[in-house]
Amino acid sequence: MKIPLTQKSLCGCCVIRERCLPAGLNDEEVLLLDQQMEHRLPIKKGALLYSQGQVFDSLYAISTGSFKTRILHEDGRSQITGFQLSGEMLGLDAISEERHVCDAIALEDSTVCKIAYDSLTNLESEINPLQRSFNKTLSKEIVRDQSIMLLLGSMRAEERVAAFLVNLSERYHARQQSASELVLRMTREDIGNYLGLKLETVSRILSRFAQENLINVQGRLITITDVKQLQLVTLSS
Amino acid sequence: MKIPLTQKSLCGCCVIRERCLPAGLNDEEVLLLDQQMEHRLPIKKGALLYSQGQVFDSLYAISTGSFKTRILHEDGRSQITGFQLSGEMLGLDAISEERHVCDAIALEDSTVCKIAYDSLTNLESEINPLQRSFNKTLSKEIVRDQSIMLLLGSMRAEERVAAFLVNLSERYHARQQSASELVLRMTREDIGNYLGLKLETVSRILSRFAQENLINVQGRLITITDVKQLQLVTLSS
DNA sequence: CGATTGGTTGAGCCCATTCAACGAATGTGG
DNA sequence: CCACATTCGTTGAATGGGCTCAACCAATCG
């Protein structure tokens, strides 16, 4: 929790600054924000950042690594609601009930930056653009969720898997990672759960895509060889 | 757009005040909010309050009536993302891209209250509790969407329909309407689209529920005769 | 009155699931 | 170091739930 002064782990010089909470703020404003945050807390692979039911007091931004969020239904069913990459925020859904309504689990050794929600709302009053940009962050999450509703509600299995790969590719690309060589951090079961499919179905479809020379599958390393065709698959209703 | 002064259509004395944007504000604060709004604009059944792609500048709160929101995919597919009742807000998803990303269609003759987003953000700076309560409104929408993801991702058809009816019943109840006599404002096709099912499937399942004496179906009038059993159906994974 | 929209029901089919076997990779303890 | 267990992934065969296609009816509307 303590940050060595020598580390200078400030938002201002963070590589993901413009994709994260400080996006659009000037240096002065970023400094104000920065001082309210705990930076680069390490979370081990498989560890829970928070869990369902836990009292909410802080939001998190992923600095490095990736997470999955999962809601559990009373009857034991679970649904993975998203895979989050660097720069994305965790805990937004907890604001409404002041308790976390999902589990956030690290898919690999990761680091997160933490800010108390009270601090954030205070800053929102002081820094006008922050208020608007935080509204945008929340709204963006709504749009994301609704596009998954479209996927789950009206796409066939092949289309879902293709859409998943294309989406991941775009997000990797935005993070200066290869858009064609995807190193998946989640299991086939995770993917299936997220897409409303069984893991066998996901596996079969990946094999089929490989056979059609759209992708190359070596376990969790997926190489996209024909993006255009893959994008077409997502549209082939 | 002009409000007759005699009408006194103020949030302060609105029956849904505590379920709407003014929730939690004191009388003075409500008055400030009230002055920034256009009240009780009539929207005819079937009319679009806004449509996908349209530039975003205002949010809406449903005063009376109900709406459906629908996103259209490039390939022609559509997905209904929600049915909204009085007191619920429309347009939240547009904040992120400054354009509407869905269509909002009135399911019956309705009235809405309109507030410019700029006015709202200005008020957020002035009225501290408004900022927090608006964050909650956004976060609540995220939670709602994620519970639909659970429904679409892991429930079977019967469970989805049962969950739909139970949810509608609860929301009607919260609005002092009968929790057992549901007058549906949407078609079977709308319901099916929303639930990721075909309209025939919805119709068949309603008939089956009727045969099992869980409900009574007379077209769009659904009478719930055994809530407990219906709730059990939603859990019977 | 016909035309249109919305709803129900039946028969057959197909896509994704279930159940199952197997292989590869990884980790653990003796 | 090997033996063993565990986790993860692939593939096959059979099943079934929801879809497709179709016919029919009721209500509404111009």
Side-chain angles (χ1 to χ4, degrees):
Chain A
M1 299 289 176
K2 288 169 208 146
I3 307 128
L5 285 172
T6 54
Q7 198 180 320
K8 267 210 164 199
S9 59
L10 300 174
C11 293
C13 55
C14 183
V15 289
I16 60 167
R17 167 173 169 179
E18 283 307 314
R19 256 185 306 103
C20 197
L21 200 54
L25 304 188
N26 64 36
D27 287 348
E28 195 186 352
E29 292 163 343
V30 169
L31 192 63
L32 278 172
L33 177 64
D34 196 279
Q35 287 165 346
Q36 297 298 321
M37 298 190 74
E38 295 178 53
H39 297 268
R40 313 266 169 106
L41 308 173
I43 310 289
K44 280 257 168 273
K45 175 177 175 174
L48 274 79
L49 180 59
Y50 52 76
S51 61
Q52 200 165 345
Q54 201 175 307
V55 171
F56 162 74
D57 56 12
S58 297
L59 291 168
Y60 301 89
I62 301 172
S63 174
T64 62
S66 53
F67 285 77
K68 65 177 174 186
T69 46
R70 180 184 64 186
I71 50 178
L72 298 169
H73 199 225
E74 29 192 325
D75 59 8
R77 257 184 289 234
S78 76
Q79 174 73 30
I80 290 175
T81 54
F83 299 112
Q84 292 80 17
L85 306 181
S86 62
E88 294 172 344
M89 296 204 65
L90 289 165
L92 299 175
D93 47 349
I95 295 172
S96 69
E97 309 189 8
E98 290 164 37
R99 284 183 177 275
H100 287 286
V101 294
C102 68
D103 299 332
I105 301 156
L107 291 173
E108 59 193 305
D109 289 355
S110 305
T111 56
V112 299
C113 303
K114 178 179 183 175
I115 183 166
Y117 180 60
D118 285 344
S119 304
L120 183 63
T121 53
N122 288 339
L123 283 174
E124 276 191 82
S125 308
E126 292 170 41
I127 308 173
N128 221 284
L130 181 62
Q131 185 203 104
R132 281 183 157 256
S133 84
F134 186 60
N135 280 350
K136 277 200 184 187
T137 300
L138 287 162
S139 176
K140 203 169 172 180
E141 177 66 22
I142 295 172
V143 173
R144 190 190 71 82
D145 291 349
Q146 292 186 349
S147 78
I148 299 167
M149 286 173 58
L150 174 75
L151 180 145
L152 292 172
S154 68
M155 287 186 172
R156 293 184 306 99
E158 273 199 358
E159 298 166 351
R160 296 185 198 190
V161 176
F164 171 75
L165 292 174
V166 169
N167 173 269
L168 215 55
S169 166
E170 287 167 357
R171 288 160 71 202
Y172 276 24
H173 184 62
R175 285 161 181 76
Q176 328 299 342
Q177 294 175 287
S178 171
S180 57
E181 307 223 322
L182 311 181
V183 180
L184 303 186
R185 308 253 89 122
M186 66 294 283
T187 66
R188 301 287 193 264
E189 179 156 28
D190 282 342
I191 299 172
N193 183 302
Y194 176 61
L195 297 177
L197 303 170
K198 292 293 149 185
L199 68 97
E200 296 95 324
T201 306
V202 173
S203 180
R204 267 185 257 272
I205 287 172
L206 289 175
S207 301
R208 205 181 306 159
F209 285 169
Q211 202 156 17
E212 293 164 357
N213 292 314
L214 304 181
I215 62 174
N216 210 298
V217 181
Q218 296 162 271
R220 295 203 186 172
L221 170 61
I222 309 259
T223 313
I224 300 179
T225 49
D226 192 342
V227 202
K228 291 204 170 171
Q229 200 57 40
L230 205 57
Q231 280 168 331
L232 275 181
V233 174
T234 69
L235 304 174
S236 62
S237 79
Chain B
M1 296 289 177
K2 290 166 206 148
I3 306 127
L5 286 172
T6 54
Q7 198 180 321
K8 266 212 162 199
S9 61
L10 301 172
C11 292
C13 54
C14 183
V15 289
I16 59 168
R17 169 174 169 178
E18 283 308 315
R19 256 187 305 105
C20 196
L21 200 54
L25 304 188
N26 64 38
D27 288 347
E28 195 185 353
E29 291 162 344
V30 169
L31 192 62
L32 278 171
L33 178 64
D34 195 278
Q35 288 165 345
Q36 297 298 320
M37 298 189 75
E38 295 178 54
H39 298 268
R40 313 266 168 105
L41 308 173
I43 310 290
K44 280 258 168 273
K45 174 176 176 175
L48 273 80
L49 181 58
Y50 52 76
S51 62
Q52 199 165 345
Q54 201 176 308
V55 171
F56 162 74
D57 56 11
S58 297
L59 292 168
Y60 302 88
I62 301 173
S63 174
T64 61
S66 54
F67 285 77
K68 65 177 173 186
T69 48
R70 179 183 64 185
I71 50 178
L72 298 170
H73 199 225
E74 28 193 325
D75 59 8
R77 255 184 290 232
S78 76
Q79 174 72 31
I80 290 175
T81 54
F83 299 111
Q84 293 80 18
L85 306 181
S86 62
E88 294 172 344
M89 296 204 66
L90 289 165
L92 299 175
D93 47 351
I95 296 173
S96 69
E97 309 188 8
E98 289 163 38
R99 281 182 179 277
H100 288 286
V101 294
C102 67
D103 299 332
I105 300 155
L107 292 173
E108 59 192 304
D109 289 354
S110 304
T111 56
V112 300
C113 301
K114 178 179 183 176
I115 184 166
Y117 180 59
D118 285 345
S119 305
L120 183 64
T121 52
N122 288 339
L123 283 175
E124 277 192 82
S125 308
E126 292 170 39
I127 308 174
N128 221 284
L130 181 61
Q131 186 203 105
R132 281 182 158 255
S133 84
F134 186 60
N135 280 350
K136 276 198 184 186
T137 301
L138 288 161
S139 175
K140 204 169 170 180
E141 177 65 22
I142 294 172
V143 173
R144 190 192 70 83
D145 291 349
Q146 293 186 349
S147 78
I148 299 168
M149 287 173 59
L150 174 75
L151 180 144
L152 293 172
S154 67
M155 287 188 173
R156 292 182 309 97
E158 275 199 359
E159 298 166 353
R160 296 184 198 191
V161 176
F164 171 74
L165 292 175
V166 169
N167 173 268
L168 215 55
S169 165
E170 287 167 357
R171 287 159 72 203
Y172 276 23
H173 184 62
R175 285 162 180 77
Q176 329 301 339
Q177 292 174 262
S178 170
S180 55
E181 307 225 320
L182 311 181
V183 180
L184 304 186
R185 309 252 88 123
M186 66 293 284
T187 66
R188 301 288 194 261
E189 179 156 29
D190 282 341
I191 300 172
N193 183 302
Y194 176 61
L195 297 177
L197 303 170
K198 292 293 149 186
L199 67 95
E200 297 95 325
T201 307
V202 173
S203 179
R204 267 185 256 272
I205 287 171
L206 288 176
S207 300
R208 206 180 306 160
F209 284 169
Q211 201 156 17
E212 292 164 356
N213 292 314
L214 304 181
I215 62 174
N216 211 296
V217 181
Q218 295 161 270
R220 294 202 186 172
L221 171 61
I222 309 258
T223 312
I224 300 179
T225 50
D226 193 341
V227 202
K228 291 205 169 171
Q229 200 57 38
L230 205 58
Q231 281 168 330
L232 274 180
V233 174
T234 69
L235 305 173
S236 62
S237 81

